Amino acid sequence: MSRIDDITGTKPMSGNLRSHALNTTKRRFNLNLQKVTIIENGEKITLRVTAKTKRTLRKQGRI
């Protein structure tokens, strides 16, 4: 499974690891994905969303 938020579509970012000697190697900033169950039209739907999206859904009362 790819690391993509099911609602917002955000993907991992890329960047560099920097050592004290300023050596660079590529790295990925992965998302903090969590499973969320949402009831929509009387059906339970399981989605993989980021922690930030989960907080927003909880604030809106959808979880």
Side-chain angles (χ1 to χ4, degrees):
M1 296 175 87
S2 59
R3 292 185 168 268
I4 298 176
D5 188 335
D6 289 336
I7 295 177
T8 62
T10 56
K11 298 179 180 180
M13 295 178 70
S14 62
N16 289 317
L17 275 171
R18 296 299 298 249
S19 67
H20 289 291
L22 300 181
N23 299 332
T24 61
T25 55
K26 282 292 185 184
R27 63 159 290 186
R28 283 178 72 174
F29 293 93
N30 287 324
L31 305 174
N32 183 6
L33 290 178
Q34 299 179 2
K35 288 186 180 180
V36 172
T37 302
I38 298 175
I39 298 173
E40 188 171 316
N41 298 330
E43 298 179 7
K44 290 184 178 180
I45 300 172
T46 303
L47 300 172
R48 293 176 68 208
V49 297
T50 59
K52 182 178 179 179
T53 306
K54 185 177 178 181
R55 289 183 64 197
T56 304
L57 291 173
R58 185 170 294 161
K59 184 177 180 180
Q60 294 174 352
R62 295 190 184 185
I63 296 179

